[in-house]
């Protein structure tokens, strides 16, 4: 049960950070400045890119090679499966991405539904929290499979810290728009907070599954990396409006990547 408890603690921390970010709605009533929003989104993208490489893809390659296999095969195969998984979810799950240039945009994605606009906004954030929970869970499962290696546990904690840091502005980025949509402060906070509950759920489920299919760990690690990279390219970068020559969003990406890289290398 040790990896399960560790995963529960790690993803519990990331969920707590989402909740703390959502609590910003109690102190601010106005919309977040677009430049600040771009920094937040870019920062999240940078963290997820670095985590995908250092915490997931590189360990996947090392695991495969240590087992006598060809490192790039599970890394590439799992990566593609992760992308496909998110494409399917993106196509099926009704959701609405926030648009800073047009806050009242109603161009929802996924299967047509009668869900309220506020629910669709929450679902968009919930969707990309799934691979984050999986990534943290897999990191702790990997440590357990190596005889509870302290170095791997430290690396897993670094991943949880990095994702938790980027979850704080993410929580604010969903609760504040919900308040602008007309929800009460309390409801905006609760929905913003609950958008992160999938992280401990998927983190713990991933650990439980990984324990019974240990030989597939390289595939699972790269699967989570592919899912996270899909979120970065499909959602975070476009929402940060990096194509509009925005230095704010670009610097956010660089800062997030740098912090996650330092955390993983220094602690891992």
């Amino acid at each position: 049960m040790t990896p399960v408890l560790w995963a529960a603690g790690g993803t519990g921390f990331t969920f707590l950070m989402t909740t703390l970010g959502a609590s910003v709605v109690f102190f601010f009533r106005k919309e977040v400045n677009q430049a600040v929003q771009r920094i937040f989104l870019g920062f999240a993208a940078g963290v997820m890119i670095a985590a995908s490489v250092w915490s997931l893809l590189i360990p996947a390659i090392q695991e495969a090679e240590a087992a006598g296999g060809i490192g790039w095969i599970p890394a590439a195969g799992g990566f593609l499966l992760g992308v496909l998984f998110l494409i399917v979810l993106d196509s099926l799950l009704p959701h609405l991405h926030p648009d800073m240039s047009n806050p009242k945009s109603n161009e929802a994605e996924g299967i047509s539904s009668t869900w309220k606009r506020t629910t669709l906004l929450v679902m968009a954030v919930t969707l990309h929290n799934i691979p984050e929970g999986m990534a943290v869970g897999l990191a702790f499962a990997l440590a357990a499979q190596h005889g509870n290696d302290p170095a791997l546990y430290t690396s897993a904690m670094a991943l949880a810290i990095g994702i938790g840091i980027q979850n704080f502005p993410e929580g604010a980025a969903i609760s504040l728009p919900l308040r602008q949509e007309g929800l009460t402060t309390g409801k905006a906070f609760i929905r913003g907070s609950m958008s992160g509950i999938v992280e401990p759920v998927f983190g713990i489920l991933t650990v439980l599954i990984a324990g019974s299919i240990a030989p597939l760990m390289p595939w699972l690690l790269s699967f989570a990396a592919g899912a996270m990279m899909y979120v970065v390219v499909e959602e975070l970068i476009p929402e940060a409006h990096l194509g509009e020559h925005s230095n704010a969003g670009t610097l956010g990406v660089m800062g997030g990547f740098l912090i996650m890289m330092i955390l993983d290398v220094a602690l891992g």
Side-chain angles (χ1 to χ4, degrees), residues 48-60 62 155 159 257 260-262 264-265:
M48 293 175 74
I49 292 171
S52 296
V53 176
W54 267 273
S55 300
L56 298 171
L57 284 176
I58 291 178
Q62 292 172 340
S155 180
L159 175 62
F257 186 94
M260 186 65 239
M261 180 184 68
I262 291 172
D264 196 274
V265 175

Side-chain angles (χ1 to χ4, degrees), residues 110-222:
I111 294 175
S112 179
S113 76
T114 58
W115 291 355
K116 293 182 179 179
R117 176 182 166 83
T118 51
T119 302
L120 294 171
L121 286 168
V122 172
M123 291 308 296
V125 178
T126 302
L127 180 64
H128 80 237
N129 281 337
I130 292 174
E132 294 177 10
M134 292 174 60
V136 175
L138 284 168
F140 284 112
L142 179 64
Q145 289 181 10
H146 282 264
N148 293 321
D149 186 340
L152 289 177
Y153 271 116
T154 305
S155 180
M157 285 189 283
L159 175 62
I161 291 171
I163 290 180
I165 291 173
Q166 64 99 9
N167 274 3
F168 181 87
E170 188 175 87
I174 185 62
S175 64
L176 289 172
L178 288 176
R179 181 71 180 90
Q180 295 298 315
E181 290 290 330
L183 291 184
T184 64
T185 302
K187 287 184 177 180
F189 165 72
I190 291 173
R191 294 196 183 188
S193 172
M194 287 298 103
S195 69
I197 195 63
V198 294
E199 292 191 11
V201 171
F202 276 82
I204 293 172
L205 286 176
T206 301
V207 170
L208 294 174
I209 294 172
S212 59
I213 50 175
L216 294 179
M217 180 58 74
W219 289 83
L220 293 173
L221 288 166
S222 52

Side-chain angles (χ1 to χ4, degrees), residues 237-261:
I237 287 179
E239 289 170 19
H241 289 201
L242 298 186
E244 297 186 355
H245 305 288
S246 168
N247 288 333
T250 301
L251 291 175
V253 174
M254 302 307 163
F257 186 94
L258 185 63
I259 289 175
M260 186 65 239
M261 180 184 68

